[in-house]
Amino acid sequence: MKEVKKRSRNILLIILAFFICSTAILIVILIALTYPNYHETMTEAEKQLLANSTILKTEYGDIEYTVEGEGMPVLLLHGAGGGYDQGLWAGKVFFGDGYKFISVSRYGYLRSSIPDNASIESQAAAYKTLLDNLNIDKIIVVGVSAGGPSATQFANDYPDRCSALILISAVSMGPAPGDQDPFYVSIIHIIQQSDYVYWLFTRFFQPAILNLMGIPPQVYETFNPEQKELAQEMLDIMHPMSQRYKGTVNDEKMIEFYTVPTGNLSAPTLIIHAKDDALVSYKHAENAHSKINQSQLVLYDTGGHGMLSQMNGTRVLVKEFLNESAY
């Protein structure tokens, strides 16, 4: 009997060793086949990021920004995992042409620093300093996802500088019922810390990574070719992801106990959200609407966090809202 058990154990060890060796070989092959493409992508991404932005040193920390286009000035405040490049992408999707986009990298993203005692209030103050430097008096402020709190804070703290406030899939409080499960948020954090792992997901597991980012598979399946291309573009502009991780962690700290300030918020406000947003619950939109008296709330039944399937309707909404409210 002992001999049989010993033989069975040895067989199991051999099978386990074979499995480990096979897995290791497959990993080596995968890296050998994909790393050159990955390296080329990262090199080009870093080159573009450095070439297309400027750093302004302020008493509230260094702020990275870029200016693009002509027309009504719009301040674009990106979401978690983003940067000034993600802000420009949101402007392209939800506004189109005819605007002067000022897009920033918020605290901890790309080349923007995280000052001591960073707060949503100081981040809003940094935006004001940037606008002063650019000689822009009044501006349309757009907060997307985790960019919502500092957008709302700016509109409240500097009402004479904000002509209109637009919140898209935006956070308006700490964790809310329906937000992405903490377990999946932890997975996002792990992926964010490795540029190579994130790159692999963007190349071979697009629906999976989009699902983690709040776009459910059933929404992705309805995308037309243009929307799928934009979804891939959204993933691609977040290279290199590791340079955005400090910002994501800082966002969580600053937003944990956030509440919508309303004491001085007088700008007309448009709030747009999808009910099936799997990352930031639409409860955030309802919360902001309940606290901002002059707000208009538009809830789509479907669209996910990126609302790409609603991009045409959203553009119309934004244009009509600005024609009536901003100037």
Side-chain angles (χ1 to χ4, degrees):
M1 180 63 71
K2 290 183 178 179
E3 188 65 28
V4 172
K5 288 184 177 179
K6 183 178 180 180
R7 188 179 300 115
S8 298
R9 186 167 58 250
N10 289 339
I11 292 173
L12 288 174
L13 289 174
I14 291 171
I15 293 173
L16 179 60
F18 177 79
F19 175 77
I20 293 173
C21 289
S22 299
T23 302
I25 292 171
L26 288 174
I27 290 174
V28 170
I29 293 173
L30 174 66
I31 293 174
L33 291 174
T34 60
Y35 192 83
N37 193 355
Y38 157 76
H39 180 71
E40 181 181 354
T41 299
M42 291 305 109
T43 301
E44 182 61 25
E46 292 179 357
K47 178 182 176 182
Q48 291 298 321
L49 285 172
L50 291 173
N52 295 333
S53 68
T54 304
I55 302 293
L56 176 68
K57 294 185 177 297
T58 79
E59 62 180 299
Y60 309 103
D62 295 350
I63 184 168
E64 181 183 32
Y65 73 95
T66 191
V67 180
E68 184 175 294
E70 295 294 335
M72 289 192 293
V74 178
L75 178 62
L76 298 169
L77 305 176
H78 64 84
Y84 78 86
D85 47 353
Q86 189 193 75
L88 287 178
W89 177 87
K92 168 185 173 181
V93 171
F94 298 117
F95 283 77
D97 299 327
Y99 300 90
K100 182 177 183 178
F101 293 131
I102 295 87
S103 187
V104 308
S105 297
R106 298 187 296 102
Y107 280 164
Y109 290 96
L110 299 178
R111 294 195 290 160
S112 286
S113 62
I114 304 177
D116 294 338
N117 301 315
S119 67
I120 293 172
E121 291 82 2
S122 65
Q123 192 162 235
Y127 303 155
K128 176 184 177 296
T129 302
L130 173 61
L131 296 182
D132 290 343
N133 184 72
L134 295 174
N135 295 314
I136 296 175
D137 183 30
K138 300 192 74 170
I139 197 165
I140 301 158
V141 181
V142 180
V144 179
S145 192
S150 60
T152 308
Q153 192 72 46
F154 179 89
N156 180 78
D157 293 353
Y158 309 100
D160 58 324
R161 306 298 293 274
C162 180
S163 58
L165 173 64
I166 300 176
L167 301 174
I168 301 174
S169 304
V171 171
S172 73
M173 53 182 161
D179 284 352
Q180 184 69 282
D181 186 278
F183 171 76
Y184 295 102
V185 173
S186 298
I187 295 177
I188 295 173
H189 276 264
I190 293 171
I191 293 173
Q192 273 192 289
Q193 295 178 70
S194 171
D195 292 335
Y196 181 60
V197 171
Y198 176 72
W199 179 86
L200 286 175
F201 269 91
T202 65
R203 283 295 176 273
F204 305 111
F205 306 102
Q206 295 97 330
I209 191 68
L210 288 170
N211 187 32
L212 288 173
M213 294 180 176
I215 302 176
Q218 60 269 26
V219 173
Y220 181 76
E221 289 172 2
T222 68
F223 283 1
N224 60 36
E226 179 189 10
Q227 291 160 353
K228 287 186 177 181
E229 182 178 341
L230 284 169
Q232 183 62 53
E233 188 177 297
M234 179 186 73
L235 295 176
D236 289 342
I237 61 173
M238 289 191 277
H239 296 309
M241 179 56 86
S242 63
Q243 293 186 21
R244 307 159 197 269
Y245 182 62
K246 289 182 180 179
T248 300
V249 174
N250 181 67
D251 274 347
E252 291 183 356
K253 293 177 181 178
M254 294 197 305
I255 292 171
E256 184 176 5
F257 302 107
Y258 175 77
T259 56
V260 175
T262 58
N264 297 314
L265 208 168
S266 57
T269 302
L270 175 63
I271 304 168
I272 310 173
H273 220 109
K275 290 184 178 180
D276 62 353
D277 187 332
L279 186 63
V280 178
S281 165
Y282 73 93
K283 296 297 182 182
H284 288 266
E286 293 182 332
N287 175 63
H289 180 53
S290 69
K291 294 184 176 180
I292 304 174
N293 293 330
Q294 67 281 9
S295 65
Q296 173 187 348
L297 174 63
V298 177
L299 287 177
Y300 293 115
D301 288 329
T302 185
H305 190 58
M307 291 200 301
L308 288 175
S309 58
Q310 306 291 352
M311 58 179 284
N312 292 329
T314 298
R315 279 189 184 183
V316 172
L317 280 173
V318 167
K319 186 174 182 179
E320 291 178 347
F321 168 74
L322 294 178
N323 286 341
E324 295 174 0
S325 307
Y327 289 93

